[in-house]
Each structure stands twice: as structure tokens, then as C-alpha cells.
Amino acid sequence: MNPYQLTFMQDALLMAVLVALPCALLSCYLVLKGWSLIGDAVAHAVLPGLVLANLFGLPLIVGAFAAGSACATSVHWLKQNSRVKEDTLLGIVFSGFFALGLILQGQFPSDLHLDHILFGNLLGINHQQLLTAAITGLVVLALVLLKGRDLMLLSFDPAQASVLGLPVQKLHWLLLSVMIATIVAGLHAVGIILVVAMLIAPGVTAFMLSKQFSRMLWIACAIALVTAVGGVTLSFYLDSAPGPTIVLLLTGCFVVTFAWQQYQIHRNQQRPQPTRQTTKATRSATTHSAQSH
């Protein structure tokens, strides 16, 4: 049976692609900038925003974006006003936000299923969620096309970007805001826990395969697209959840790429290296040949 004869499988596939591609583009910048932990923190921190938005009848995306922004702002402020390292602050802040969300979820029971928040519900996607994911994807694409070079320099060397006159702080918050929006758009598909993998794995894998940033973007998108389509399709035949299946394929791509890279390094190390005497003899023969001509 062809799984895509079913309408809900078509919606699941479309949603997976709409979430995977912007995550892949952003993952390249986040990996280079060292923001993997920030993505993890923001993803967990949106939980209280989701619960409060549902409690007051607001759109979930509004509450999630507000909570994610509050988490990122808190970490930034604490970093500027303390000697504590950023990774420590991230661990404290996102744990506090996540714990607050769990308590609120227990105090105010609702139809908002915690399992769907944590792990997503790709087979229960509606058209409003598809539209949100599509708009987010277009925003990320526009950001890469218009500000891609500036963001690349910001990721590689913020000090150099500042010297060249780039608005470093504005670019910082622009990238952060788009990352939060992408996380929120992906919550319905793969959930809080798994969206982090989609924001990290494609960029890390592409980074190991290419040293050129433009190629890195293309490779990350290709990996995300293949694993999204493969994960949704495979989940139908395995009777498994699509979100975890996609993430498992992403992890498999990373493991295979890492193993291949280690094999290449080991093979290069096993090659006999020319000794100094051999090198001198080669140079002498080359010089003698050139003089004779």
C-alpha cells in the first residue's frame, strides 16, 4: 500500500519537509556560532509559554515565542552581569523554565497533551500549523538570502564583523528570533525534545563533509530533506512515530559521516611519510635536472 494515498500522511510529509529545511539552514549558523546549547535551552523553555497561552485562550505560538524570548533575554542579561559561564547559565535558566512549565501543566489541566508537546504529533497536523511552518520557512530563506554573508561572518568572527561596521547586536537578536520561531513551528511536528536534533544534526554532519560554507548549506538541506521523507515513509511501514524516526535517521547520518571521517584520518596516518633524507635527495635530483636543462 502506498502510504501517501492517505491524506494525513501527505500532511505529515509536507510538515516534515517544511520544518526540516529551515532547521537545516539555521543549523549551519548555530553550529559555527556554538549556539547548540541555546537552541536546546530555548526549546525547553517554551513549555510554560505554551501552557499559559492555552490557559488564557491565546495562540500557542504567541506564548511559546514569548517564553523562548524571555529565556534567551535572561541568559544574555545574566551573562553580561555575572562571571558565570554561558553554558552554566543556560542549564540553570532552561531547567527553571521547563520545571515551571511542568508545574503549570499539572496545576491547570487542559486538552494540551504533554506527550504532544514533548514529542510532537506529526500525524495530527492541521492546516493552520502547516501555514505557520510554511511562513517560518520563507522567513528563514529570506534571512539567508538577504543577510547570509553577514550572519556567516558573525558566526565565524564577531569581533571582525564589528570592526567592519556590521550591526552585531541586531544580527545577534535577528538570528535568535528566527531560531525561536523555527523551534515553535517545529513543536507540533517533532516536539520540544526532538526539534533540537533537527537544529543541530544537519549542520554538524554537513560541517564534517565540507569546509566551504555555501556547500555546507546545500549538504545540510539535502540531509534534512532525505531524512524527513525517509523518516515519514519508514515510520508507516515500521508502525513507529514519524518524529523519532526522522531524528534517528539524522543521528544515523551523523554516525556514518563521523565513522567515514575517522577512517579517512586513520588511512592518511598509515601512509608512509617521506623521510628527511628522501626529501633532500628528491630536491637534489630536481635541482640537478633543472640545471642540466
Side-chain angles (χ1 to χ4, degrees):
M1 177 182 178
N2 182 5
Y4 298 111
Q5 292 176 345
L6 305 172
T7 303
F8 69 89
M9 288 297 295
Q10 296 173 6
D11 291 341
L13 178 64
L14 180 58
M15 185 65 171
V17 171
L18 289 175
V19 170
L21 291 179
C23 281
L25 289 172
L26 285 178
S27 70
C28 296
Y29 295 99
L30 299 184
V31 167
L32 291 177
K33 193 167 174 58
W35 272 15
S36 299
L37 281 177
I38 293 181
D40 189 12
V42 170
H44 285 78
V46 300
L47 180 57
L50 290 171
V51 177
L52 290 175
N54 186 67
L55 180 64
F56 291 106
L58 299 173
L60 296 183
I61 188 172
V62 174
F65 192 88
S69 300
C71 172
T73 304
S74 300
V75 171
H76 181 74
W77 187 86
L78 289 170
K79 181 183 177 183
Q80 297 296 323
N81 294 275
S82 71
R83 294 182 298 171
V84 183
K85 292 184 178 181
E86 187 177 30
D87 58 344
T88 305
L89 293 173
L90 285 169
I92 294 173
V93 173
F94 99 70
S95 298
F97 271 76
F98 191 63
L100 175 62
L102 292 175
I103 291 175
L104 291 175
Q105 175 71 10
Q107 292 295 319
F108 304 102
S110 65
D111 57 350
L112 193 64
H113 295 287
L114 187 60
D115 286 347
H116 292 171
I117 297 174
L118 295 178
F119 306 108
N121 184 25
L122 197 54
L123 298 179
I125 295 299
N126 58 44
H127 292 292
Q128 181 63 40
Q129 293 163 352
L130 283 171
L131 180 61
T132 300
I135 293 174
T136 304
L138 289 175
V139 170
V140 173
L141 180 60
L143 177 67
V144 172
L145 291 176
L146 297 175
K147 295 292 183 180
R149 291 181 179 273
D150 294 347
L151 291 174
M152 181 181 66
L153 183 57
L154 177 70
S155 301
F156 273 114
D157 192 348
Q160 180 67 19
S162 180
V163 169
L164 292 175
L166 295 179
V168 174
Q169 287 298 321
K170 290 183 179 179
L171 289 173
H172 174 94
W173 287 106
L174 178 62
L175 182 60
L176 187 62
S177 299
V178 174
M179 182 190 71
I180 294 172
T182 304
I183 289 173
V184 172
L187 287 180
H188 298 292
V190 293
I192 288 173
I193 296 175
L194 301 179
V195 74
V196 179
M198 299 186 73
L199 270 173
I200 299 173
V204 172
T205 307
F207 178 75
M208 292 191 294
L209 291 173
S210 176
K211 295 181 180 180
Q212 186 179 356
F213 188 74
S214 58
R215 288 186 60 194
M216 184 177 167
L217 290 172
W218 283 107
I219 293 172
C221 288
I223 292 171
L225 182 61
V226 170
T227 53
V229 175
V232 173
T233 305
L234 193 60
S235 69
F236 178 82
Y237 294 106
L238 295 179
D239 194 22
S240 60
T245 307
I246 293 171
V247 173
L248 187 61
L249 290 180
L250 281 170
T251 306
C253 288
F254 168 77
V255 171
V256 170
T257 303
F258 179 79
W260 173 254
Q261 187 184 58
Q262 293 301 307
Y263 168 74
Q264 292 289 96
I265 293 174
H266 178 73
R267 190 178 67 173
N268 291 335
Q269 290 175 345
Q270 294 300 316
R271 288 178 179 175
Q273 298 295 327
T275 62
R276 290 186 177 181
Q277 293 181 352
T278 304
T279 305
K280 289 181 179 179
T282 304
R283 289 177 179 174
S284 177
T286 304
T287 304
H288 178 73
S289 177
Q291 290 176 349
S292 63
H293 283 290

